[in-house]
């Protein structure tokens, strides 16, 4: 039979046992500053950009989502305990894991209150300035996980790659960013979720003033032909989320698009779909897109 210590004995043990105070740190999050345990041993991650950056810092997650759609991150989280999905966290699995910290962001940010019932949690959603927030997240995770030297190296490398891209893209003209979703197409401008690409490259918008809604501005082949961009930057949403069906190039292919400057000069760049759409802002993903763009402009 299980024995239960008497209240008096328990009180005595608590008074005589040494108490180790946990060091704390204040971290800037999307919801404002949050004070947390410094250098948490166990962290569950529901945000792919966060998973990307902390693993680049050398932090191994103990919990993450069931189905990671970013190929580069699957191995990084191979040993993590599955704790649900971005939209439906498995709170029982999370409770069994008992992490010191839970990170949500972006698509999983609506689950902050739910996971906070189980463990300390932070929302690390990116704002409108993705590049500035990417640097801020590197700094924040570096401080939180006692990886400040690594964080400084990562930021320096990121800034160097941005300088390389700016140099390669200098004088390259205009660009139109298009996301395909099966047969559908949307365009994104400087104020959109993909607007950071205009900041990073210095390219001009082929069509200024596009709707900056999350899902972009619905467009047609005629729209692309009239815009006639020097560069056509393409994000295939279907490929990013693992859907079968019509691919981006099949959707774009038409006589109208084929007549554009971008198509004629082979200036159509199919951006890494997962890095651009799923884990945008994560360190490895950002570096991958920067390298892809720099190579394209340098060729």
């Amino acid at each position: 039979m299980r024995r239960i210590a008497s209240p008096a004995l328990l009180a005595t043990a608590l008074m005589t046992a040494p108490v180790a105070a946990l060091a704390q740190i204040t971290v800037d999050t999307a919801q404002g500053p949050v004070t947390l345990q410094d250098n948490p041993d166990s962290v569950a991650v529901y945000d792919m950009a966060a998973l990307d950056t902390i693993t680049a810092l050398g932090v191994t997650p103990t919990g993450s989502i069931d189905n990671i759609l970013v190929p580069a991150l699957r191995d990084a989280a191979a040993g993590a305990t599955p704790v649900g999905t971005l939209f439906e966290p498995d709170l029982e699995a999370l409770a069994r894991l008992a992490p010191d910290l839970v990170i949500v962001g972006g698509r999983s940010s609506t689950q902050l209150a739910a996971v906070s019932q189980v463990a300390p949690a932070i929302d690390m959603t990116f704002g409108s300035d993705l590049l500035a927030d990417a640097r801020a997240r590197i700094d924040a995770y570096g401080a939180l996980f006692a990886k400040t030297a690594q964080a400084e190296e990562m930021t320096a490398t990121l800034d160097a790659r941005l300088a390389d891209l700016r140099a390669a893209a200098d004088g390259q003209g205009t660009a139109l960013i298009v996301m395909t979703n099966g047969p559908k197409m949307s365009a994104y401008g400087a104020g959109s979720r993909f607007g950071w690409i205009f900041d990073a490259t210095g390219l001009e918008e082929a069509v200024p003033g596009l709707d900056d809604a999350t899902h972009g501005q619905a467009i047609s082949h005629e729209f692309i032909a009239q815009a006639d961009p020097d560069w056509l930057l393409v994000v295939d949403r279907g490929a990013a989320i693992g859907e079968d069906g019509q691919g981006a190039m099949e959707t774009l292919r038409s006589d109208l698009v084929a007549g554009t400057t971008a198509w004629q000069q082979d200036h159509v760049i199919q951006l890494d779909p997962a890095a651009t759409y799923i884990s945008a802002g994560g360190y490895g993903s950002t570096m991958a897109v920067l390298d892809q763009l720099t190579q394209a402009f340098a060729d």
Side-chain angles (χ1 to χ4, degrees):
M1 184 173 65
R2 183 182 176 190
R3 296 182 178 179
I4 302 175
S6 69
L9 182 59
L10 181 58
T12 301
L14 289 173
M15 286 187 292
T16 57
V19 178
L22 294 174
Q24 294 187 317
I25 186 171
T26 300
V27 174
D28 288 330
T29 77
Q31 306 291 334
V34 176
T35 300
L36 302 165
Q37 173 188 329
D38 191 13
N39 197 10
D41 292 326
S42 173
V43 56
V45 188
Y46 288 91
D47 176 56
M48 294 301 94
L51 180 63
D52 189 351
T53 299
I54 70 167
T55 55
L57 278 166
V59 177
T60 301
T62 54
S64 193
I65 63 173
D66 300 342
N67 182 25
I68 294 175
L69 294 173
V70 184
L73 297 180
R74 289 177 190 145
D75 289 343
T81 298
V83 286
T85 70
L86 296 178
F87 303 103
E88 294 185 8
D90 184 338
L91 298 183
E92 292 184 0
L94 191 63
R96 287 193 296 271
L97 181 64
D100 299 315
L101 176 66
V102 180
I103 303 175
V104 300
R107 296 166 180 82
S108 64
S109 61
T110 58
Q111 301 302 319
L112 179 64
V115 299
S116 293
Q117 300 175 62
V118 179
I122 52 175
D123 175 8
M124 300 301 267
T125 299
F126 285 81
S128 58
D129 191 339
L130 183 139
L131 291 174
D133 281 351
R135 291 189 184 90
R137 297 297 181 259
I138 293 170
D139 290 345
Y141 295 136
L144 176 61
F145 292 104
K147 302 275 188 178
T148 53
Q150 294 94 319
E152 289 172 0
E153 291 178 7
M154 286 164 59
T155 300
T157 302
L158 174 61
D159 289 341
R161 297 289 179 83
L162 281 166
D164 290 343
L165 174 55
R166 272 290 183 132
D170 185 44
Q172 295 276 9
T174 64
L176 182 67
I177 300 174
V178 174
M179 184 170 74
T180 66
N181 187 15
K184 299 178 181 179
M185 300 184 295
S186 299
Y188 292 79
S192 73
R193 64 189 300 173
F194 302 124
W196 70 272
I197 295 174
F198 288 106
D199 293 335
T201 61
L203 294 172
E204 298 177 11
E205 293 180 88
V207 183
L210 286 172
D211 186 346
D212 61 1
T214 300
H215 300 292
Q217 180 173 318
I219 61 169
S220 63
H221 293 116
E222 289 82 0
F223 181 94
I224 298 174
Q226 290 173 9
D228 192 22
D230 295 307
W231 293 86
L232 189 57
L233 311 182
V234 184
V235 181
D236 188 335
R237 180 183 181 275
I241 63 176
E243 285 187 346
D244 294 328
Q246 187 167 311
M249 297 308 290
E250 184 180 355
T251 298
L252 287 167
R253 190 170 287 111
S254 72
D255 290 342
L256 287 166
V257 176
T260 63
T261 300
W263 199 279
Q264 291 288 314
Q265 296 186 0
D266 197 23
H267 286 177
V268 180
I269 306 175
Q270 296 186 73
L271 296 172
D272 183 315
T276 311
Y277 183 73
I278 302 293
S279 53
Y283 180 75
S285 297
T286 302
M287 296 291 280
V289 175
L290 295 180
D291 287 347
Q292 185 183 8
L293 289 167
T294 301
Q295 184 62 50
F297 294 132
D299 287 345

